[in-house]
């Protein structure tokens, strides 16, 4: 069972729903977050846990954790969740919190990743699905997909191109995580069992193979 946390339009949530993944609950951190409409339409329980109502970050974290644990959630997916999650949540879901970031990490962590990529003049941008640790977009990388940057791309067009890839990559990785067994050695993670996520020419490189393999 998956719990999805979102703060935005929820297009990644839409991709997870379309892939028919077992989403137990969707949690948003503000009542106006549009992702909630997608959850309601899909008949998924939707909760608003408003971060502005909590005195501290840790209190907010605990409310998230309690809601997820009470519903038997095993994997937590941050699908455009714009709050930093802290130790209270991470300790309850060790190596089971996944984030999607619109850049090829470790380049361009944090906000405005697409703008950072354009300003750096990179020719290849992309997205990363990674495990969440205490840093900002620093956790072990599960998979990445590449997107070429055109000379006419601006922030909006690059965002759209990358989002398309996110919508392919995130559900595929979450599906694989549900079916396989995640192994970890330092910063390297890989799956035993479950579907192989090897290189895919359509999607750029997907990286999730065991140590020593190139896939
Ligand atoms: C995505 O680009 C995701 O990578 C980033 O926030 C955006 C969320 O978009 N963390 P959406 O709400 O899923 O449409």
């Amino acid at each position: 069972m998956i719990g999805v946390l979102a703060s935005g339009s929820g297009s990644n949530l839409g991709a997870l729903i379309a892939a028919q993944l077992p989403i137990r609950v969707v949690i948003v951190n503000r009542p106006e977050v549009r992702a909630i409409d997608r959850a309601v339409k899909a008949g998924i329980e939707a909760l608003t846990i408003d971060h502005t109502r909590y005195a501290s970050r840790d209190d907010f974290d605990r409310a998230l954790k309690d809601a997820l644990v009470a519903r038997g959630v095993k994997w937590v997916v941050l699908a455009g969740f714009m709050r930093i999650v802290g130790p209270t949540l991470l300790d309850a879901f060790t190596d089971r919190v996944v984030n999607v970031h619109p850049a090829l990490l470790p380049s361009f962590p944090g906000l405005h990743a697409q703008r950072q990529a354009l300003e750096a003049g990179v020719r290849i941008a992309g997205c990363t699905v990674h495990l969440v640790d205490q840093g900002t977009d620093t956790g072990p990388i599960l998979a990445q997909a590449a997107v070429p940057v055109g000379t006419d791309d601006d922030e909006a067009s690059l965002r759209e191109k990358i989002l398309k890839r996110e919508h392919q990559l995130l559900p595929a990785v979450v599906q694989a995580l549900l079916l396989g067994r995640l192994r970890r050695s330092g910063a390297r993670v890989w799956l035993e069992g479950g579907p192989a996520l090897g290189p895919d020419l359509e999607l750029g490189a997907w990286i999730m193979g065991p140590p020593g393999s190139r896939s």
Side-chain angles (χ1 to χ4, degrees), residues 8-12 80 100-102 163 166:
S9 78
S11 68
N12 276 293
V100 57
H101 181 74
L163 257 185
E166 293 181 38

Side-chain angles (χ1 to χ4, degrees), residues 8 22 38 40 53 97 109 130 140 155 160 184 205:
R38 296 186 195 254
V40 170
R53 288 170 174 253
V97 183
H130 65 96
E155 206 178 329
E160 280 312 304
R184 178 169 181 178

Side-chain angles (χ1 to χ4, degrees), residues 17-190:
I17 293 171
Q20 298 188 315
L21 290 165
I23 302 172
R24 174 64 185 81
V25 65
V26 172
I27 303 177
V28 300
N29 63 304
R30 289 288 298 154
E32 69 273 13
V33 167
R34 279 176 297 150
I36 207 154
D37 303 334
R38 296 186 195 254
V40 170
K41 249 192 211 148
I44 298 167
E45 184 186 7
L47 293 180
T48 301
I49 299 184
D50 185 341
H51 69 271
T52 63
R53 288 170 174 253
Y54 292 84
S56 71
R57 198 185 283 270
D58 195 49
D59 287 348
F60 173 61
D61 241 36
R62 187 163 302 107
L64 292 175
K65 183 207 76 175
D66 289 348
L68 294 163
V69 169
R71 286 163 180 79
V73 162
K74 178 155 186 241
W75 287 94
V76 181
V77 180
L78 309 185
F81 190 59
M82 301 307 283
R83 308 296 302 170
I84 305 266
V85 295
T88 300
L89 180 70
L90 293 176
D91 290 350
F93 293 92
T94 307
D95 287 344
R96 285 185 284 127
V97 183
V98 177
N99 182 44
V100 57
H101 181 74
L104 293 175
L105 294 171
S107 294
F108 317 130
L111 293 176
H112 309 302
Q114 302 90 339
R115 190 187 307 167
Q116 294 183 53
L118 286 171
E119 284 172 1
V122 297
R123 305 305 170 96
I124 298 175
C127 55
T128 302
V129 179
H130 65 96
L131 293 181
V132 175
D133 65 12
Q134 305 240 9
T136 302
D137 304 321
T138 50
I141 292 171
L142 292 164
Q144 295 183 304
V147 169
V149 182
T151 48
D152 53 350
D153 268 320
D154 58 15
E155 206 178 329
S157 66
L158 188 58
R159 179 178 301 114
E160 280 312 304
K161 278 190 193 173
I162 294 174
L163 257 185
K164 268 195 195 153
R165 287 293 190 241
E166 293 181 38
H167 298 163
Q168 295 168 304
L169 194 64
L170 182 64
V173 173
V174 174
Q175 176 85 57
L177 289 171
L178 293 177
L179 297 173
R181 250 175 320 149
L182 192 69
R183 296 283 183 236
R184 178 169 181 178
S185 166
R188 299 263 342 241
V189 286
W190 67 98

